[in-house]
Amino acid sequence: MRLVAVGGSDAGISAALRARELDPTAEVTVVLADEYPNFSICGIPYYVSGEVGHWRNLAHRTMDDLRDAGLYVRVNTRAVGIDVSGRRLLVEAPDGQRELPYDALVVGTGAVPVRPPITGLDSLGPADGVHLLHTIGDTLALTADLDANRPSRALIVGAGYVGLEMAEGLTARGIDVIQVEALPEVLPSVDPGLGAMVRAELTRHGVEVHTATTVTEVAASDGPTRLTVHATGASGQPERWDVDVVLVVVGVRPDTDLLVAAGATTGPRGAVLVDPAMSTGLPGVWAAGDCVVTHHRLLGRAYLPLGTTAHKQGRVAGENALGGSAVYPGSLGTQVVKVFDLVIARTGVRDSEATDAGFAPATVQSTGDDHKAYYPGAKPVTIRVTGDTATGRLLGAQLVGPLGAEIAKRVDVYATALTHDMRVADVDGLDLSYTPPLGSPWDVVQTATMAWVREHDLDRQRAALTSRRTE
Amino acid sequence: MRLVAVGGSDAGISAALRARELDPTAEVTVVLADEYPNFSICGIPYYVSGEVGHWRNLAHRTMDDLRDAGLYVRVNTRAVGIDVSGRRLLVEAPDGQRELPYDALVVGTGAVPVRPPITGLDSLGPADGVHLLHTIGDTLALTADLDANRPSRALIVGAGYVGLEMAEGLTARGIDVIQVEALPEVLPSVDPGLGAMVRAELTRHGVEVHTATTVTEVAASDGPTRLTVHATGASGQPERWDVDVVLVVVGVRPDTDLLVAAGATTGPRGAVLVDPAMSTGLPGVWAAGDCVVTHHRLLGRAYLPLGTTAHKQGRVAGENALGGSAVYPGSLGTQVVKVFDLVIARTGVRDSEATDAGFAPATVQSTGDDHKAYYPGAKPVTIRVTGDTATGRLLGAQLVGPLGAEIAKRVDVYATALTHDMRVADVDGLDLSYTPPLGSPWDVVQTATMAWVREHDLDRQRAALTSRRTE
């Protein structure tokens, strides 16, 4: 049994490791275009900030670990074609083109950064102080630039997860940051009221934030700074900043060239469609991670390029490539981000997404303490619970609170509840832990659902009681 | 509609509040023996330690809050009899005996401290430096003693949740603590290997710990300290300590006199049996909290005197007392405790309990980081996962880690998974959150279940794969 995995990041490595776990006799080869297998892309902002001492520490596993697990890893090897019927992968390696025969192929080509339509962007690069950030190679180019040129002022295009983490990372390096977001609020993946809390946190740490502002042009400058950035502001006014570095982090798009050329079908955002077994439909070809459409438990098909998802999908693909019958259980879009001293998380869907998916959603916001207020250090946790008013089903939750308020694991309680289609009104019945320094008899996770119930289910409960009494 | 609730702690108050929430016209009276309604008993150790400034801060709600919620609260009023057929509660109030007519009665008399068979215990009290600790009254007696006599050395009988919290609390006050536990390890509600970690934490903070040691006698002393304590040590040897204060915290037993006299049936540990609606079976009489047998989702009937349980059961009783049809969904025995800088949590069942309940359990221990090791401050989390080897069902989890490792909310993820009868092998499919400062692509909650699966399910997975391939 020869398994070839294309891509040395989460999906490809997970598939390869799972295959070896299930069948230690399988010949498993991983092919990757660069020389950085199994790196934590999510950790890049913390290397740029200086919190991670050496970029090699970002590796989930070293090359030796991968060899010990029985993987044959081919670095600097680009997959350029799939001969589906012949079951051969065409690659360009340092020693030239060659064909790798396989019995099963798992493609995890991942994603590439979106390049927004900014004039000048295509003609400027790392040497000019203009950076896109997605790979370890991009990262090393950025840090080399920062180390060499000691810029004092940077502009970040985009205020999503990576943009916000980079604002923190550059600020930690002593660089003044201007953050520009085209949408009306930062962190557009949560509701604007929570995004406003993130924006306040950015401002509190000296980041200059401009929302509803579209960057239109980046140009090399012969002034005191290297670059000039032009934008259109919230009221249509022209904006202009002189900076030393521009970082463009406005999201990613699936890297599907290899699979599409082989005949794969695409879906939302151009990602490759797979079935619940992670099969592409092409004989002997599975795919996983940022290059595929993800099954979302509430929305159906979605494009959700996340490391957690890639790991899980890769594992399913690796098992099935060997002949197994694993099923990817679906995503809930669970995400968490730390922005300075604030933590923001979400799982499930927000009102607009829920409406699109045919629900009748309503969202209720409440705030409670992370633990009993009488014990020192209680922190406020703000939670927005979304439920279906037609059925009472829990649809999603968004949380914001200070670092230390256990936001990341509180969202996981909601994610686990969502996995089991819980009703909002049943969350208060969960037997959650309590001790005064770390919680409350009703955890804030539960007082938040109780707030939703009071607003959207109490009248029904009262009517049901009245009806029972008069029977 | 006249509802009377007996007991001013979690069960009684929750019942009363839920009744008023559902029917704002209900006349709701709460009768309590002391003058401290709706206090957080779990907070007592943090008042004794000095971390809570005033004992009144321990109140979940003030008397004004309760009045605003429409409750009529009768303090210093002891319920002494129930006329079940006449629907009257007999009470002894400051102004003499009287009868309170009701349409529905919710009894939440709670528990009383267990008095172990220690010679001399019955003849010594707070004035002598010997304390039991369960009520706000007990607490004020203890702190008055500590303030007046400035003891330098205390002995705590018992090393369960409260005993451990008190060891920390007294240490925080600068008192040397000797902790004596009759069982072989401290915190006997978790497996001994984890208890040993707690013991090491106690020792690290200067607590002198004696396990497998039974206190036999407490006597007033005419030496330099107030009290002499005699015990039998682990090897049967006699032990003797001279101390200024003795605290006896070896658990509680249900306070059932009122209900038993009225004809209620009792079950495990002498607690009152109730049905899933929290009805005692006596017409018009519901009961909740530390005085009743709790429905445990995995064990059936259990005695689990916990505040979280009392709140939930009280709410169900309050709804049903009005004519509702609520059902208590059951407990998992989820608990968490902080001991100095360590946090220990459990949910579900351990091997011995699972075996008794008819499962074929196995437990696997593993340790992982609370977040990616490359990000500063990663902390080790040790998890023992218990699963049923016959079905693969998740049965329980025990966790230990340093403060800040989000142990309390990680156990809640397991509790939520247990509520839905998840299989151990399905936990890795949960879409949990990830960002390097706060987690890992597979959270340690998931690597722990994956460790169980590798040990107890991987052979089956491999055989299934082989079987599919040869079909």
Side-chain angles (χ1 to χ4, degrees):
Chain A
M1 173 70 200
R2 293 163 305 180
L3 173 72
V4 173
V6 179
S9 195
D10 301 337
I13 297 288
S14 291
L17 290 172
R18 178 59 170 164
R20 287 287 300 181
E21 179 177 73
L22 283 171
D23 180 359
T25 71
E27 291 174 31
V28 179
T29 302
V30 180
V31 170
L32 62 151
D34 64 18
E35 52 193 318
Y36 311 112
N38 209 199
F39 268 76
S40 173
I41 297 304
C42 301
I44 289 173
Y46 310 103
Y47 171 64
V48 174
S49 72
E51 288 156 299
V52 177
H54 194 284
W55 62 268
R56 288 207 178 275
N57 296 348
L58 290 180
H60 288 303
R61 291 172 195 79
T62 65
M63 192 69 98
D64 284 348
D65 294 337
L66 297 174
R67 275 193 209 104
D68 290 349
L71 309 193
Y72 180 56
V73 181
R74 289 178 165 271
V75 299
N76 295 317
T77 301
R78 253 168 45 80
V80 293
I82 305 170
D83 171 2
V84 174
S85 58
R87 301 216 172 192
R88 271 189 281 267
L89 180 72
L90 184 66
V91 300
E92 280 174 1
D95 55 350
Q97 278 214 352
R98 54 190 300 168
E99 288 187 336
L100 302 180
Y102 63 77
D103 297 306
L105 184 71
V106 177
V107 178
T109 40
V112 291
V114 167
R115 298 181 77 92
I118 298 173
T119 303
L121 186 60
D122 288 341
S123 58
L124 296 166
D128 311 296
V130 176
H131 299 268
L132 277 77
L133 195 62
H134 189 64
T135 66
I136 295 294
D138 296 338
T139 307
L140 298 178
L142 172 63
T143 53
D145 184 16
L146 299 181
D147 290 342
N149 295 302
R150 305 260 160 212
S152 61
R153 205 160 185 232
L155 185 143
I156 299 176
V157 183
Y161 290 86
V162 179
L164 296 173
E165 290 168 344
M166 287 307 304
E168 179 180 345
L170 294 181
T171 300
R173 284 182 78 118
I175 300 170
D176 292 336
V177 175
I178 299 166
Q179 187 140 36
V180 183
E181 167 62 48
L183 292 170
E185 191 47 274
V186 302
L187 197 55
S189 54
V190 298
D191 287 344
L194 303 187
M197 295 171 72
V198 178
R199 182 198 180 111
E201 182 73 1
L202 290 165
T203 304
R204 195 166 77 82
H205 285 85
V207 177
E208 182 183 324
V209 181
H210 298 268
T211 52
T213 300
T214 304
V215 172
T216 52
E217 185 181 355
V218 181
S221 164
D222 46 12
T225 65
R226 284 198 288 180
L227 296 159
T228 300
V229 179
H230 295 273
T232 305
S235 315
Q237 81 280 16
E239 299 273 10
R240 176 205 158 119
W241 299 282
D242 295 308
V243 298
D244 304 300
V245 164
V246 169
L247 201 59
V248 179
V249 277
V250 295
V252 297
R253 60 177 178 78
D255 184 353
T256 60
D257 292 354
L258 184 70
L259 282 169
V260 167
T265 313
T266 57
R269 303 275 297 277
V272 169
L273 284 176
V274 290
D275 67 12
M278 307 311 296
S279 165
T280 62
L282 302 172
V285 183
W286 286 261
D290 291 1
C291 62
V292 304
V293 171
T294 291
H295 169 62
H296 189 294
R297 297 182 72 96
L298 291 158
L299 298 178
R301 291 175 177 173
Y303 182 60
L304 283 166
L306 292 168
T308 45
T309 302
H311 275 90
K312 292 182 184 75
Q313 292 179 339
R315 207 168 142 83
V316 170
E319 178 163 348
N320 293 339
L322 291 198
S325 58
V327 169
Y328 175 63
S331 169
L332 290 160
T334 312
Q335 291 177 282
V336 62
V337 63
K338 176 181 109 62
V339 181
F340 293 101
D341 302 321
L342 204 63
V343 178
I344 308 93
R346 65 162 287 182
T347 186
V349 293
R350 294 157 58 196
D351 281 341
S352 57
E353 298 161 322
T355 302
D356 290 348
F359 296 104
T363 296
V364 173
Q365 178 170 326
S366 62
T367 299
D369 291 320
D370 72 319
H371 65 249
K372 288 300 297 180
Y374 58 71
Y375 188 86
K379 301 174 180 70
V381 177
T382 297
I383 303 184
R384 291 177 66 80
V385 169
T386 302
D388 184 19
T389 54
T391 62
R393 182 176 172 185
L394 179 68
L395 296 175
Q398 303 167 63
L399 300 85
V400 175
L403 200 58
E406 308 209 0
I407 299 296
K409 298 305 127 190
R410 282 191 160 101
V411 79
D412 287 352
V413 174
Y414 286 119
T416 308
L418 283 167
T419 301
H420 298 285
D421 301 341
M422 283 191 85
R423 296 179 65 247
V424 182
D426 291 336
V427 172
D428 67 25
L430 290 173
D431 185 17
L432 306 183
S433 66
Y434 164 53
T435 184
L438 298 167
S440 303
W442 302 105
D443 192 77
V444 64
V445 159
Q446 295 174 308
T447 55
T449 57
M450 290 161 104
W452 191 95
V453 168
R454 268 197 305 280
E455 200 155 319
H456 293 288
D457 204 36
L458 187 55
D459 288 345
R460 190 199 58 73
Q461 291 180 4
R462 286 177 173 166
L465 182 64
T466 304
S467 155
R468 276 179 65 90
R469 282 164 151 188
T470 52
E471 260 168 20
Chain B
M1 172 72 198
R2 290 162 306 178
L3 173 73
V4 174
V6 179
S9 195
D10 300 338
I13 297 288
S14 291
L17 290 172
R18 178 59 170 162
R20 286 286 302 182
E21 179 177 74
L22 283 171
D23 180 359
T25 71
E27 290 173 32
V28 178
T29 302
V30 179
V31 170
L32 63 149
D34 64 16
E35 52 192 318
Y36 310 113
N38 209 201
F39 268 76
S40 171
I41 297 303
C42 301
I44 289 174
Y46 310 103
Y47 172 63
V48 175
S49 72
E51 288 158 298
V52 177
H54 194 285
W55 60 269
R56 289 207 179 276
N57 295 349
L58 292 179
H60 288 305
R61 292 173 194 79
T62 64
M63 192 68 97
D64 284 348
D65 292 337
L66 296 174
R67 274 194 211 105
D68 290 349
L71 310 193
Y72 179 55
V73 181
R74 287 176 166 272
V75 298
N76 295 317
T77 301
R78 254 168 44 79
V80 293
I82 306 171
D83 172 3
V84 174
S85 58
R87 303 220 171 188
R88 270 189 281 267
L89 180 72
L90 184 65
V91 298
E92 280 175 2
D95 54 351
Q97 279 213 351
R98 55 191 300 170
E99 289 187 333
L100 302 181
Y102 64 75
D103 298 307
L105 183 71
V106 176
V107 177
T109 40
V112 291
V114 167
R115 298 181 77 90
I118 297 173
T119 303
L121 186 60
D122 287 341
S123 58
L124 295 166
D128 311 297
V130 176
H131 299 267
L132 278 79
L133 195 63
H134 189 62
T135 65
I136 294 295
D138 298 338
T139 307
L140 298 179
L142 173 63
T143 52
D145 184 17
L146 299 180
D147 290 343
N149 295 302
R150 306 257 161 214
S152 61
R153 206 162 184 229
L155 186 143
I156 299 176
V157 184
Y161 290 85
V162 180
L164 296 173
E165 289 167 344
M166 287 308 304
E168 180 180 345
L170 294 181
T171 300
R173 282 183 78 117
I175 300 170
D176 291 338
V177 175
I178 299 167
Q179 186 141 35
V180 183
E181 168 62 46
L183 292 170
E185 191 47 274
V186 302
L187 196 57
S189 53
V190 298
D191 288 344
L194 304 188
M197 296 171 72
V198 178
R199 182 196 181 110
E201 181 72 2
L202 290 165
T203 304
R204 195 165 77 83
H205 285 85
V207 178
E208 182 183 323
V209 181
H210 298 268
T211 52
T213 299
T214 304
V215 172
T216 52
E217 186 183 353
V218 181
S221 164
D222 47 11
T225 64
R226 283 198 289 180
L227 298 158
T228 300
V229 179
H230 296 274
T232 305
S235 315
Q237 81 282 12
E239 297 273 14
R240 177 204 157 122
W241 299 282
D242 295 308
V243 299
D244 304 300
V245 165
V246 170
L247 201 60
V248 179
V249 276
V250 296
V252 296
R253 59 177 179 78
D255 185 351
T256 61
D257 292 353
L258 185 71
L259 282 168
V260 167
T265 312
T266 58
R269 303 276 297 279
V272 169
L273 284 176
V274 289
D275 67 13
M278 306 312 294
S279 165
T280 61
L282 302 172
V285 184
W286 286 260
D290 291 2
C291 62
V292 305
V293 171
T294 290
H295 171 62
H296 188 293
R297 297 182 72 97
L298 291 158
L299 300 177
R301 291 176 178 172
Y303 182 58
L304 283 166
L306 292 168
T308 44
T309 303
H311 275 91
K312 292 181 183 74
Q313 292 180 338
R315 208 168 141 83
V316 169
E319 177 162 349
N320 293 339
L322 291 197
S325 59
V327 169
Y328 174 64
S331 169
L332 291 160
T334 312
Q335 290 176 282
V336 63
V337 62
K338 174 181 110 63
V339 181
F340 294 102
D341 303 322
L342 204 63
V343 178
I344 309 95
R346 63 163 289 183
T347 186
V349 293
R350 294 156 60 196
D351 280 342
S352 57
E353 298 162 321
T355 302
D356 291 348
F359 296 104
T363 296
V364 173
Q365 179 170 325
S366 61
T367 299
D369 290 321
D370 71 319
H371 65 250
K372 288 302 293 181
Y374 58 70
Y375 187 85
K379 300 173 182 71
V381 177
T382 297
I383 303 184
R384 290 177 66 80
V385 169
T386 302
D388 185 19
T389 55
T391 61
R393 181 177 172 186
L394 179 68
L395 297 174
Q398 303 166 64
L399 300 85
V400 175
L403 201 58
E406 309 208 0
I407 299 296
K409 298 305 128 194
R410 282 190 161 102
V411 80
D412 288 351
V413 175
Y414 286 119
T416 307
L418 284 167
T419 300
H420 298 284
D421 301 341
M422 283 191 84
R423 295 178 68 249
V424 182
D426 291 336
V427 172
D428 67 24
L430 290 173
D431 184 16
L432 305 183
S433 66
Y434 164 52
T435 183
L438 298 167
S440 302
W442 302 103
D443 191 78
V444 65
V445 159
Q446 296 174 309
T447 56
T449 57
M450 290 162 104
W452 191 97
V453 168
R454 269 197 304 279
E455 200 156 318
H456 293 288
D457 204 38
L458 187 55
D459 288 346
R460 188 199 58 73
Q461 291 180 5
R462 286 176 174 167
L465 183 63
T466 305
S467 156
R468 275 179 66 91
R469 282 164 150 186
T470 53
E471 259 167 21

